[in-house]
Amino acid sequence: MKPLGLLLVICCLTSTGFCISCKSCWHMLDSQCDGSSVPCSSDQVCVASYTLISTVTSETPLYTLSCGSHSQCHFSGSMSTNHGTVRTRNSCCDTDDCIPPFPTLQPVCPMKNKLTCRACFSDTSDYCYTSDTIECTGNERKCGRMARRLSGAVTKNDALRGCATRSYCEKVGNQMSTIQGLNIDSKMFCSDGAPALHVGLLGSIVAILLTKLLF
């Protein structure tokens, strides 16, 4: 057994919780992926995450499977800009190398909620800002900006600014993860916004995600 694997086993055996192994993979298809089995940290579970980027002309899916915390299990949220909408939902299971149920995305709500946010997108930088705006809809009651740095299997920076659900603001950003050779360093900052245009938003992000930009 490799030293890292042995260390993880020892940590599991000496902790107060228990450890399982989970598949680790990502696939840009509307289907599950099959990766290698990796040991998880104490009390982690197997998390399946499905993200769909919808634009006027196309839809781009991303499915990932990895170890994760219990708090990720019921995550569901979205973020929108003038270029389209990103929706994500997770599901979990808690036995060795189990495959969680395929996550079902929440439908898009077209009803405007009176919030207006700045909107922009960049596929070359982890920062963007323009005078463009977007009228928010449904549960997207936050103004947010995500920025992401990818390395490893893919090297790329990108950013998105627009309307976001509270769940995206609380769960998506400020994370570092590695899934099957892809390192994702993401950050996200959000504002409560206002019924008028919000202009004071600062911050940066992969989760999840804007998977259309992976290639």
Side-chain angles (χ1 to χ4, degrees):
M1 180 180 293
K2 294 182 179 180
L4 178 58
L6 178 60
L7 177 60
L8 289 172
V9 171
I10 293 174
C11 289
C12 288
L13 292 176
T14 57
S15 67
T16 57
F18 65 95
C19 290
I20 62 173
S21 59
C22 294
K23 298 286 188 178
S24 177
C25 59
W26 59 279
H27 206 319
M28 295 185 72
L29 290 173
D30 283 305
S31 62
Q32 296 170 335
C33 58
D34 185 18
S36 57
S37 177
V38 298
C40 301
S41 300
S42 176
D43 292 328
Q44 284 191 318
V45 294
C46 299
V47 180
S49 181
Y50 180 62
T51 296
L52 182 66
I53 298 178
S54 302
T55 68
V56 176
T57 59
S58 66
E59 288 191 338
T60 302
L62 172 68
Y63 175 88
T64 65
L65 192 59
S66 62
C67 300
S69 65
H70 286 273
S71 64
Q72 296 176 259
C73 292
H74 302 292
F75 172 78
S76 178
S78 63
M79 185 169 182
S80 300
T81 185
N82 292 328
H83 299 274
T85 299
V86 182
R87 290 180 291 156
T88 302
R89 193 165 191 176
N90 295 348
S91 62
C92 296
C93 57
D94 58 5
T95 57
D96 281 335
D97 296 328
C98 61
I99 304 297
F102 196 89
T104 302
L105 298 176
Q106 296 283 0
V108 174
C109 177
M111 185 176 298
K112 295 179 181 179
N113 59 29
K114 299 182 180 180
L115 175 67
T116 300
C117 298
R118 292 287 184 188
C120 63
F121 164 76
S122 172
D123 62 353
T124 59
S125 171
D126 60 0
Y127 179 84
C128 69
Y129 182 87
T130 70
S131 60
D132 295 340
T133 63
I134 181 174
E135 294 183 274
C136 304
T137 62
N139 291 326
E140 294 181 348
R141 300 181 182 277
K142 297 278 190 176
C143 292
R145 187 172 70 85
M146 302 193 304
R148 185 180 59 174
R149 296 181 179 182
L150 306 179
S151 61
V154 176
T155 300
K156 195 170 187 62
N157 293 344
D158 46 55
L160 174 74
R161 185 191 296 266
C163 306
T165 59
R166 180 181 296 274
S167 56
Y168 245 57
C169 291
E170 293 177 346
K171 298 294 185 181
V172 171
N174 304 311
Q175 296 181 11
M176 294 187 66
S177 59
T178 300
I179 301 176
Q180 204 175 31
L182 179 64
N183 305 310
I184 305 172
D185 182 5
S186 64
K187 298 183 187 300
M188 183 164 182
F189 283 68
C190 290
S191 154
D192 287 336
L197 176 65
H198 178 80
V199 297
L201 181 65
L202 297 174
S204 54
I205 157 184
V206 177
I208 85 256
L209 357 292
L210 301 175
T211 55
K212 187 176 183 179
L213 306 176
L214 285 175
F215 300 100

